[in-house]
Amino acid sequence: MLACSSFVLPSITVVTWNVGTAMPPNDVTSLLHLNTGETNDVDMIAIGLQEVNSKINKRLKDALFTDQWSELFMDVLSPFHFILVSTVRMQGVILLVFAKYYHLPFLQDIQTDCTRTGLGGYWGNKGGVSVRLSIFGHMVCFLNCHLPAHLEKAEQRKEDFATILHMQQFEGPVANGILDHDLVFWFGDLNFRIESLDICFVKYAIDSNVLSQLWEKDQLNIAKSTWPVLRGFQEGPLNFPPTFKFDVGTNKYDSSAKKRKPAWTDRILWKIKPPSKGLGTGGHRPSQGVLSVSQLCYCSHMEYTVSDHKPVAAIFAVQFASKVDKPLVEIYVADEWSRPEQAVVRYKMAVGFHRSSWDWIGLYRVGFRHPKDYVSYVWARSDDGERCLEKQLCAQVMFSEEALPKGNGEYILGYYSNTSSSIAGVTEPFQISLPRSEEGSSSTDSSGSSSEEDDSTLVLLAPKSRSPSPGKMKRHRSRSPSLAKFQGLILRPSSRDRGTSRSPSPQSRCSLPRNIPTIHLPHEELGHHEVKSKELEQAAESPDSSSFYQTVQEKSGLWRVSADSSLTRADPRNLGLLPALRLEMIDQALGRRQESADQGYYPCRRMSTTSPPACGPSPKEGHSPQELDRHSCAMGR
């Protein structure tokens, strides 16, 4: 429903930082303005990074685990109720978009795209990544770019930016190109330099705080008045010193033999789409109402010295003339669940909502980091679901006692729409206070368990996404905030750690295919993990073994991942680039093969990751939302 009254989205923070392959600092609260009163009014935060370490060994690590920079920002922002809405990565260029959890139902049509411009479009060290979405019915695009370096490459920067604008295309009836959006934020290491003036004068102007004498020689300021592609882009005054190039670890400009001239390479600009008159091209409906943007802050942060660039942040107040004032799904729940039978959820879908049989309702602990960071879930399907939608009645589902976290805590329910790959409805926080069982209480209360004590095993996860090469791309169907491209490792769980997983509904998940290639290791090579052969065998043969994601302790260069990580709930059956691997001991492997031979068992043909399964349970029979992504991809959804 659209209301004609004016609505102000208090503020959007945009951050850009060329991190120069450095490790993340310990604290980024000042960069995100989290230690000021401004945070209370911030509704969204977009963070663009460039030159994140993308060497082969580091990219493999980031494929196995969420990269350290993304983890840092999620960890810092989640206590302030910011949720990762979307993320996209192209080699060293990363874009993350966060929003307050209660805005999630009003953020729809989320898509991402990438364009390589390095080496003529074959290399992603330069280029642009974008996240576009509908915010309260208005189309907004965040574009993070890393353009060519050096003073003499101004024309190349212009051509690359034009290429990015031309190549990036989105699906849907409106806003197919970047400039079709109602509001565009363009930021990144744009690499524009200061012309004509020598380094001595530039440093004198900086030291004397007469920065205005440098503005007219700034290449981007010149280009804004001469390049048609930049027409309409706005930028606040550059009242902060040039952000490049510094000696790492200091606030001193380049003292190397090259003595590069300081420049404002790191920039944040925005553009508002001009009001449409009547129907646009193709009969598209014009933007709903008038939109205005005011820049509240535009500054650099000199306190960060890990890179030769200083990060830059801007805060914007955005005013919409109209807004979507009701979520697509309204969820009703009791103020407290103190008994399992109270775990009843009623929900009502708006007229025109495109429901799917794969939609689900997740139970989230307050402070969750992204939409797949649920404690438990229940499928949002019922026999009379269509009737409820048609007659605008409330549907009802119930969480099983086994799926509920034990102990006390604050939680939120969110309706996840598989069609839009976003949360379509959330509740206010409510209380769950269920008694802990004396036996295995720590394993059942997965949401409150400490990641430092959890020894759960890693399983890898990769988003269903196309290669971020130039050209028209389909919607980036990321299954988690991880940016994994390396697929295929499974470490079988030990019974010692059973029950610590946060993966929902383990009792009815499909077992793993038995024809997975196996790596056999001598018993002494597994000894340092303190995993007994008997325990491993019991966990592997249990019907719910595929749902327990556990971490191998880092004792011989092996990785450790917290159970709170999104990767710990990954479905290994999604992995297709490399064959899945299974670690087990020689004696148990021989025993299992002998047993299979005695029973006349022959393994089934391994299913292709690009074809639907020949058989298997429906969502009612126990697929988890992670398995849903594999199924949807296979069915061509």
Side-chain angles (χ1 to χ4, degrees):
M1 178 181 296
L2 293 176
C4 294
S5 58
S6 178
F7 170 72
V8 176
L9 184 65
S11 61
I12 297 176
T13 296
V14 178
V15 174
T16 179
W17 192 3
N18 183 320
V19 299
T21 72
M23 295 288 289
N26 295 327
D27 185 18
V28 290
T29 54
S30 63
L31 172 61
L32 301 173
H33 295 254
L34 298 178
N35 52 358
T36 67
E38 298 166 335
T39 306
N40 297 329
D41 296 329
V42 173
D43 291 82
M44 298 187 68
I45 298 178
I47 303 169
L49 305 175
Q50 307 88 38
E51 290 195 26
V52 176
N53 191 337
S54 58
K55 293 182 179 179
I56 293 179
N57 60 336
K58 189 65 173 65
R59 286 292 284 139
L60 289 177
K61 294 176 185 178
D62 291 348
L64 295 171
F65 316 96
T66 307
D67 70 273
Q68 292 173 302
W69 284 94
S70 298
E71 286 286 341
L72 170 67
F73 287 115
M74 284 191 289
D75 288 341
V76 170
L77 287 170
S78 60
F80 293 89
H81 305 298
F82 283 99
I83 310 304
L84 182 64
V85 175
S86 184
T87 183
V88 58
R89 177 172 187 173
M90 180 185 66
Q91 288 182 213
V93 184
I94 297 179
L95 175 58
L96 306 113
V97 176
F98 294 85
K100 292 287 182 66
Y101 78 88
Y102 43 79
H103 289 310
L104 294 180
F106 305 101
L107 309 180
Q108 298 295 320
D109 197 10
I110 303 169
Q111 300 180 42
T112 66
D113 206 348
C114 308
T115 302
R116 296 185 178 102
T117 59
L119 295 179
Y122 290 97
W123 194 242
N125 64 321
K126 296 294 190 294
V129 297
S130 62
V131 172
R132 87 80 170 270
L133 69 166
S134 169
I135 304 176
F136 293 97
H138 294 260
M139 302 306 298
V140 179
C141 182
F142 298 94
L143 174 62
N144 173 28
C145 290
H146 191 187
L147 300 182
H150 305 304
L151 177 68
E152 66 278 7
K153 293 293 183 67
E155 279 298 317
Q156 185 64 50
R157 288 188 276 275
K158 170 187 172 182
E159 293 175 6
D160 282 9
F161 182 53
T163 298
I164 293 169
L165 294 180
H166 174 72
M167 288 291 188
Q168 299 214 359
Q169 297 291 316
F170 304 97
E171 298 177 355
V174 294
N176 300 115
I178 290 177
L179 298 183
D180 295 331
H181 291 74
D182 299 325
L183 175 60
V184 177
F185 290 102
W186 176 40
F187 50 97
D189 180 1
L190 307 185
N191 256 321
F192 289 98
R193 307 303 172 96
I194 296 175
E195 291 186 343
S196 303
L197 304 176
D198 62 36
I199 186 172
C200 293
F201 182 84
V202 172
K203 287 188 175 181
Y204 166 78
I206 296 171
D207 294 338
S208 303
N209 197 27
V210 286
L211 301 176
S212 59
Q213 297 187 25
L214 307 179
W215 294 347
E216 63 183 15
K217 298 299 183 180
D218 173 74
Q219 288 181 332
L220 182 53
N221 284 335
I222 297 172
K224 278 186 282 188
S225 60
T226 58
W227 293 359
V229 71
L230 295 181
R231 185 177 296 117
F233 278 97
Q234 304 177 60
E235 183 182 20
L238 298 169
N239 290 326
F240 51 89
T243 55
F244 174 84
K245 178 183 191 314
F246 290 87
D247 292 337
V248 175
T250 74
N251 288 326
K252 182 180 179 181
Y253 285 106
D254 186 17
S255 62
S256 69
K258 293 184 177 180
K259 287 193 168 22
R260 293 180 180 88
K261 185 164 54 176
W264 286 288
T265 57
D266 310 281
R267 312 289 278 270
I268 300 173
L269 297 88
W270 74 95
K271 181 178 181 178
I272 301 173
K273 183 180 178 181
S276 302
K277 296 181 180 180
L279 292 178
T281 57
H284 293 162
R285 188 165 48 87
S287 175
Q288 293 290 329
V290 179
L291 181 150
S292 65
V293 176
S294 301
Q295 190 176 69
L296 306 178
C297 171
Y298 192 27
C299 61
S300 65
H301 287 265
M302 298 291 289
E303 66 270 26
Y304 295 98
T305 60
V306 298
S307 168
D308 56 356
H309 289 251
K310 299 299 181 184
V312 174
I315 302 177
F316 300 90
V318 182
Q319 182 171 344
F320 296 136
S322 61
K323 73 182 184 74
V324 177
D325 60 357
K326 284 189 178 181
L328 294 173
V329 178
E330 297 180 75
I331 308 175
Y332 307 95
V333 66
D335 292 336
E336 182 180 7
W337 292 353
S338 56
R339 302 186 307 277
E341 56 269 22
Q342 292 178 314
V344 177
V345 182
R346 297 170 64 241
Y347 58 95
K348 183 178 179 181
M349 295 166 283
V351 176
F353 174 65
H354 299 290
R355 69 181 297 273
S356 166
S357 59
W358 296 98
D359 292 353
W360 47 275
I361 296 176
L363 178 65
Y364 301 92
R365 193 176 185 91
V366 169
F368 69 104
R369 308 195 308 169
H370 52 82
K372 297 298 178 69
D373 191 19
Y374 50 76
V375 174
S376 182
Y377 79 99
V378 62
W379 290 106
R381 299 190 303 149
S382 59
D383 295 336
D384 59 349
E386 293 295 339
R387 180 176 61 86
C388 292
L389 181 57
E390 292 174 2
K391 298 185 177 182
Q392 284 297 284
L393 301 175
C394 285
Q396 178 174 302
V397 293
M398 184 173 182
F399 281 84
S400 65
E401 182 175 358
E402 295 79 9
L404 296 175
K406 305 305 184 291
N408 298 321
E410 274 197 313
Y411 294 84
I412 293 170
L413 288 171
Y415 185 105
Y416 189 86
S417 167
N418 184 63
T419 303
S420 62
S421 299
S422 61
I423 290 181
V426 295
T427 66
E428 292 291 331
F430 65 96
Q431 192 76 19
I432 294 183
S433 53
L434 297 176
R436 296 176 181 270
S437 58
E438 293 184 1
E439 181 179 357
S441 61
S442 61
S443 62
T444 56
D445 185 13
S446 59
S447 64
S449 60
S450 170
S451 61
E452 294 181 357
E453 298 176 356
D454 180 43
D455 293 334
S456 57
T457 301
L458 164 72
V459 196
L460 303 186
L461 159 68
K464 303 293 188 299
S465 62
R466 295 175 59 186
S467 173
S469 57
K472 184 173 181 179
M473 290 188 171
K474 293 187 178 180
R475 183 178 187 157
H476 186 90
R477 299 298 297 272
S478 176
R479 295 175 55 249
S480 83
S482 66
L483 300 160
K485 296 294 186 294
F486 180 83
Q487 309 177 356
L489 175 64
I490 304 174
L491 302 181
R492 305 189 71 178
S494 67
S495 60
R496 172 170 59 93
D497 296 318
R498 288 180 56 184
T500 59
S501 170
R502 298 180 61 184
S503 177
S505 187
Q507 62 270 17
S508 56
R509 294 177 61 129
C510 298
S511 59
L512 292 174
R514 291 180 174 261
N515 61 335
I516 296 176
T518 302
I519 294 179
H520 300 298
L521 299 178
H523 187 279
E524 56 271 16
E525 291 191 27
L526 291 178
H528 68 282
H529 296 296
E530 301 177 4
V531 178
K532 296 182 180 179
S533 173
K534 184 177 181 180
E535 292 176 336
L536 186 61
E537 180 72 15
Q538 291 173 350
E541 294 299 324
S542 64
D544 57 340
S545 60
S546 64
S547 70
F548 291 101
Y549 305 109
Q550 305 176 327
T551 302
V552 178
Q553 293 181 342
E554 186 177 0
K555 289 191 177 180
S556 291
L558 295 179
W559 300 102
R560 174 183 176 84
V561 173
S562 166
D564 288 336
S565 169
S566 62
L567 292 177
T568 58
R569 290 187 301 278
D571 186 351
R573 285 165 292 181
N574 290 311
L575 313 178
L577 290 182
L578 294 177
L581 306 178
R582 180 174 62 203
L583 297 180
E584 59 183 29
M585 287 175 290
I586 291 178
D587 52 354
Q588 64 184 95
L590 295 177
R592 182 179 295 108
R593 292 186 179 183
Q594 182 62 44
E595 179 182 353
S596 299
D598 295 342
Q599 296 176 357
Y601 170 77
Y602 294 92
C604 299
R605 177 178 61 87
R606 184 176 182 179
M607 293 187 297
S608 169
T609 58
T610 59
S611 61
C615 60
S618 68
K620 286 185 177 179
E621 296 171 327
H623 275 303
S624 74
Q626 280 80 10
E627 296 174 272
L628 154 65
D629 295 307
R630 173 176 61 89
H631 179 83
S632 298
C633 180
M635 296 299 292
R637 297 191 179 187

